[in-house]
Amino acid sequence: MTRDSLGGFEQLILLAILRLPDEAYGLRIQEEIEERAHRTASLGMVYTALERLEQKKFVSSWSGGATSERGGRSKRFFKVEAAGIRALQKSLAATKRMAAGVEALVGGSR
Amino acid sequence: MSKRGRKYELRSIIITHYLDDHLRSSGRHAFMAGDFGTGKTQAFATIFVEGKSDQFLFESLLKVPHHGSARAGNMVLGPPKLAEFFLLLLPMKYREELIGCAEEEYWTRSLPRLGARRARVIFWTQMIHAWLIFLARPLAGIAGLAWMGKVVDVLLARFLK
C-alpha cells in the first residue's frame, strides 16, 4: 500500500468524520462506524487510525473542552482535509470501478 | 423487632464521583431501593436514575453496614483504575483522549445499559485491545523474522546436503 492510499478502515473513519461535522471525536466516530457500517471498532483501533491519517495530513485535529463524564479529559475533534477528500474520492472510485459489472454478485444494486 | 433481625430500606443515596455532576447537570434525581438484613456483608442493589423521558438502571455490589445504619456511603461505580493506569502507559500521541473516550463510554453507555460489572469488563477489553493493536506491528515483525529464519534454515539444509 502506498503512503497516499487508504485502507478499508481508514475509509470508514474519513466517511464517519464527514458525517459528523464539528462533533467528530473518538467515541462518536466509533459509534458512527458501529451503527452505520455494522462493524465492531475498538477505541484503540479508531485512535491508531486517526493518528495515521493525521500523519498523512488527511485529517487535522483540535482540542475541545473537558467534561466530567470524561474524567476531566478533553475531547479531540477531527476534520477531513482536502488531501483526505482526494484520497477518499480515489479510493471510492477504485472500489466502484472494481465493482462495475459484478453488482449482481456482490449485491451492489440495492 | 430486635435490632439484629430488622430490615433496612434504603430510600436515597448520594452517588459520588463524576456521575454525580452528570446527574446534577442533566436535572436528574437518583434514588435507590433495596432490602438488606443485618449480618450480610454484601448484597446486590438496584439503583434507578430517573430522567424526564428515560430511566436508567444501575446494578452494583454494595457493602451492607453491620452497625444498623442504612446509609450506603460511597459507592464504587467508577471505571477500573488499574486498566486506566495501563492505558496511561500506552505510547500513543492521543492516549489521554483515548482514556477520556473510554471513560465517557463507561459512564454514558456501558454503565446505564449493562451495569457496573459488565461496564468494567468492557473498559478492560478496550485497554487490552488498545495494547494489542499497539503491539501488533512489532509482533508481526518478530513473527516475520522467525518465518524468514525458518526459510533460511530449510534452504541451508538443502544446499548443505
Side-chain angles (χ1 to χ4, degrees):
Chain A
M1 201 185 292
T2 63
R3 198 183 135 75
D4 288 341
S5 63
L6 282 179
F9 191 66
E10 290 176 334
Q11 209 179 82
L12 289 180
I13 294 254
L14 287 180
L15 289 168
I17 297 172
L18 288 172
R19 298 191 72 88
L20 300 162
D22 299 327
E23 51 166 328
Y25 67 97
L27 189 61
R28 282 294 291 120
I29 294 170
Q30 184 211 25
E31 282 174 347
E32 192 71 12
I33 290 171
E34 284 183 353
E35 275 169 27
R36 291 201 166 263
H38 304 293
R39 192 173 154 170
T40 315
S42 73
L43 287 168
M45 275 169 83
V46 170
Y47 273 100
T48 308
L50 284 169
E51 281 190 19
R52 208 165 46 232
L53 288 168
E54 201 172 27
Q55 273 175 8
K56 291 178 181 177
K57 311 252 187 255
F58 289 169
V59 297
S60 58
S61 71
W62 68 97
S63 194
T67 54
S68 57
E69 67 260 24
R70 293 175 64 84
R73 291 182 174 90
S74 60
K75 289 175 185 170
R76 181 154 288 272
F77 293 98
F78 291 87
K79 189 184 121 191
V80 182
E81 292 296 328
I85 301 266
R86 278 197 299 275
L88 193 56
Q89 282 169 343
K90 260 191 195 173
S91 176
L92 290 174
T95 309
K96 219 173 173 181
R97 282 196 301 274
M98 287 302 288
V102 288
E103 291 96 340
L105 288 173
V106 295
S109 56
R110 264 195 302 168
Chain B
M1 193 184 287
S2 71
K3 195 175 179 183
R4 186 156 183 81
R6 197 189 299 161
K7 292 214 171 179
Y8 297 95
E9 193 178 335
L10 297 182
R11 291 187 181 277
S12 64
I13 189 166
I14 299 164
I15 298 178
T16 56
H17 208 53
Y18 310 118
L19 191 64
D20 194 21
D21 294 341
H22 182 59
L23 291 169
R24 224 181 291 140
S25 63
S26 60
R28 289 176 176 139
H29 300 286
F31 69 91
M32 189 182 78
D35 283 333
F36 302 98
T38 50
K40 285 183 187 171
T41 51
Q42 55 189 27
F44 276 104
T46 306
I47 303 162
F48 301 95
V49 182
E50 280 192 326
K52 280 176 187 165
S53 58
D54 52 354
Q55 188 178 64
F56 298 119
L57 186 73
F58 294 83
E59 278 187 349
S60 184
L61 201 62
L62 293 179
K63 279 188 179 164
V64 177
H66 282 276
H67 50 75
S69 163
R71 210 163 55 84
N74 283 355
M75 282 179 60
V76 183
L77 276 177
K81 291 281 167 207
L82 189 62
E84 211 173 302
F85 172 73
F86 282 126
L87 278 174
L88 269 172
L89 298 178
L90 258 180
M92 273 177 76
K93 192 176 168 190
Y94 296 136
R95 78 171 164 266
E96 283 285 335
E97 285 83 354
L98 192 155
I99 300 169
C101 281
E103 278 216 21
E104 188 180 338
E105 181 188 42
Y106 179 88
W107 288 114
T108 60
R109 282 169 60 181
S110 317
L111 191 63
R113 289 179 202 169
L114 306 167
R117 197 175 289 184
R118 285 176 70 185
R120 284 171 157 254
V121 171
I122 289 173
F123 197 94
W124 273 103
T125 312
Q126 291 283 13
M127 185 280 289
I128 292 165
H129 213 258
W131 266 104
L132 283 178
I133 285 164
F134 173 74
L135 293 173
R137 278 198 176 182
L139 286 179
I142 292 165
L145 281 176
W147 181 80
M148 276 174 67
K150 271 191 179 175
V151 171
V152 170
D153 277 353
V154 171
L155 288 173
L156 280 175
R158 279 199 181 175
F159 281 114
L160 293 175
K161 255 184 187 176

